[in-house]
């Protein structure tokens, strides 16, 4: 077990993200919950992870599946009780697993007490917890759009004002210019630290310093002031791990976010790699194929840019993203090989890896009838593009490829009804491929993706080169094979990944004879479809 009292323990850790609603139901209501997670802790111990990032479980009307919080200090009854949470924290800690809570500090639910008060009058003490602009109810203050579609401004006639919301109408933005609000948030964070929470994931943290009348959302002028205050006031313990979601991050900004002096956060989730298969100037729904050299140069920039000056997170999946094996792998005949290849590609790099629930067994995207999509972003997109006259088939293809719901189908535990997720009726459709793809089957198959991920995690812990090594691309312009070298003064690690379904030639550089990990049973002169290897020297 890692010594988590030391700052930087998380540089040797591997984290696992749980989307509680879809992980494990324990009481038959069809919704995942905290006791369900507790019942699966030993599965996660077997995988070898060191911490769990829990997507929000606080009180919420679920307009955005819990990212619309109405009480930061209360557990939503759909997930269980505060006692369930305290038991989970304790039992996880006994197993060497830290609980990392998802903090949504950019906005609350409209049902939060603060907003209910703020709406009552302009001079209510909570009014300035939010962002208001006078208006006539006809013309919003400006043409800013919300991430989930529509205007970013909603009018409250009783006040003669609009309030600002970067996301859903039900998610009013908090006003971080207000020091009283900021202190409320810091006090809430300390409440959770006292409960034994050992880390935080910070939702859209680079959007908190918004200046809506200047049309600024990400990377606002006071962002780093706020983050440094947040770190000083709330993240006081050396061992706390903090990861900020920063869609607008580049390497330069990330050296501030993850500065080694701990003045801001431990690391951020940046998304430059995730945007590479999106049409330039388009939205995530505007698809284009991934061009492998783009991915190589992107990852090279982050690996070299933060080596010694900051710290990377490493991820390809989360609750907002389509399943990577369907996106950049092959979820058909080469599902197992390509899932292992993608894991090899990522886990050989410098940074803290995050495994999203089901990634370790190669869960895939799902195609649903349009009316079955749950996600507010997907539903709004369908309506918006339908109204704009986009061809039905084009809209559907975008949704099949990019909907967040791809990641939110229930975890597939076994081949029994509802994949063992619930004994009731699941809140969301279980992927019909659960009979083939499930954890029980994986645990009974030594060649499963699960055991491959278990080996990746173990290798990272047993060879310092994974944490400390330099990064150099090998054969950088090769459009089919992503190969790179990690080196310290004692060891060298060569990672080789064929990102295609073709057999391709690749010359293994001299001196690398010891293949420590491979996703095919033997070694041949060429690289077979989605073949991945790790060599150590
Ligand atoms: O996501 C922020 C965010 O910008 C993404 O939702 C993005 O808009 C889209 O999903 C991918 O292009 C965070 C949370 O992760 C997400 O689940 C919440 O819906 C959102 O913030 C609002 O809290
Ligand atoms: Ca339940």
């Amino acid at each position: 077990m890692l010594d988590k009292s030391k700052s930087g323990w998380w540089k040797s850790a591997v984290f696992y993200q749980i989307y509680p609603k879809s992980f494990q139901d324990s009481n038959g209501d069809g919704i995942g919950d905290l006791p369900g997670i507790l019942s699966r802790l030993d599965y996660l111990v077997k995988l070898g992870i060191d911490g769990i990032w829990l997507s929000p479980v606080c009180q919420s009307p679920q307009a955005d599946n819990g990212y619309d919080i109405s009480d930061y200090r209360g557990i939503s009854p759909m997930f269980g009780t505060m006692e369930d949470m305290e038991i989970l924290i304790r039992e996880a800690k006994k197993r060497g697993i830290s609980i990392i809570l998802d903090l949504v500090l950019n906005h609350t639910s409209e049902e939060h007490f603060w907003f209910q008060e703020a709406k009552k009058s302009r001079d209510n003490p909570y009014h300035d917890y939010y962002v208001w602009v006078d208006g006539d109810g006809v013309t919003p203050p400006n043409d800013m759009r919300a991430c989930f579609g529509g205007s970013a401004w909603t009018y409250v006639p009783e006040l003669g004002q609009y309030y600002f919301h970067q996301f859903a109408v039900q998610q009013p933005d908090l006003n971080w210019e207000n020091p009283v609000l900021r202190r409320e948030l810091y006090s809430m964070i300390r409440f959770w630290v006292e409960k034994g929470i050992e880390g935080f994931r910070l939702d859209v943290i680079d959007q908190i310093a918004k200046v809506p009348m200047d049309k600024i959302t990400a990377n606002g002028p006071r962002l780093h002031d706020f983050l440094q205050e947040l770190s000083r006031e709330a993240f006081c313990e050396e061992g706390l791990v903090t990861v900020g979601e920063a869609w607008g991050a580049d390497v330069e900004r990330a050296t501030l976010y993850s500065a080694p002096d701990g003045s801001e956060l431990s690391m951020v989730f940046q998304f430059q790699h995730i945007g590479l298969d999106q049409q330039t100037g388009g939205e995530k729904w505007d698809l284009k194929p991934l061009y492998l050299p783009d991915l190589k140069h992107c990852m090279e920039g982050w690996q070299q840019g933060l080596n010694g000056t900051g710290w990377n997170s490493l991820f390809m999946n989360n609750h907002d993203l389509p399943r990577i094996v369907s996106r950049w792998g092959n979820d058909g005949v080469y599902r197992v090989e390509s899932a292992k290849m993608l894991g090899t590609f990522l886990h050989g790099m410098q940074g803290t890896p995050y495994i999203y629930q089901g990634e370790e067994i190669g869960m895939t995207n799902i195609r649903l009838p349009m009316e079955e999509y749950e996600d507010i972003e997907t539903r709004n997109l369908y309506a918006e593009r339908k109204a704009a006259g986009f061809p039905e088939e084009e809209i559907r293809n975008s949704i099949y490829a990019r909907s967040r719901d791809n990641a939110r189908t229930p975890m597939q535990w076994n081949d029994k009804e509802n994949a063992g997720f619930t004994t009731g009726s699941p809140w969301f459709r279980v992927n019909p491929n659960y009979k083939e793809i499930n954890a029980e089957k994986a645990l009974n198959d030594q060649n499963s993706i699960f055991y491959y991920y278990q080996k990746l995690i173990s290798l990272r812990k047993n060879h310092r080169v994974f944490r400390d090594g330099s990064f150099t691309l090998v054969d950088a312009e090769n459009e089919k094979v992503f190969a790179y070298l990690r080196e310290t003064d004692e060891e060298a690690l060569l990672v080789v990944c064929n990102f295609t379904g073709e057999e391709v030639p690749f010359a293994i550089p001299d001196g690398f004879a010891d293949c420590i990990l491979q996703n095919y049973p033997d070694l041949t002169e060429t690289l077979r479809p989605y073949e991945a290897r790790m060599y150590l020297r």
Side-chain angles (χ1 to χ4, degrees), residues 64 67 107 148 167 171 201 203-204 245 247 284 319-320 377 404 408:
D64 182 18
Y67 283 89
H107 49 271
F148 298 155
F167 292 95
Q171 294 171 294
R201 179 265 186 181
D203 190 61
V204 290
E245 179 193 29
W247 282 82
K284 73 179 200 180
H319 64 291
D320 291 331
E377 183 188 53
R404 304 192 298 180
R408 299 174 182 185

Side-chain angles (χ1 to χ4, degrees), residues 17 19 53 55 67 201 318-321 356 404 407-408:
Q17 182 194 356
Y19 196 67
W53 155 25
S55 274
Y67 283 89
R201 179 265 186 181
N318 68 27
H319 64 291
D320 291 331
L321 300 176
Y356 179 66
R404 304 192 298 180
R408 299 174 182 185

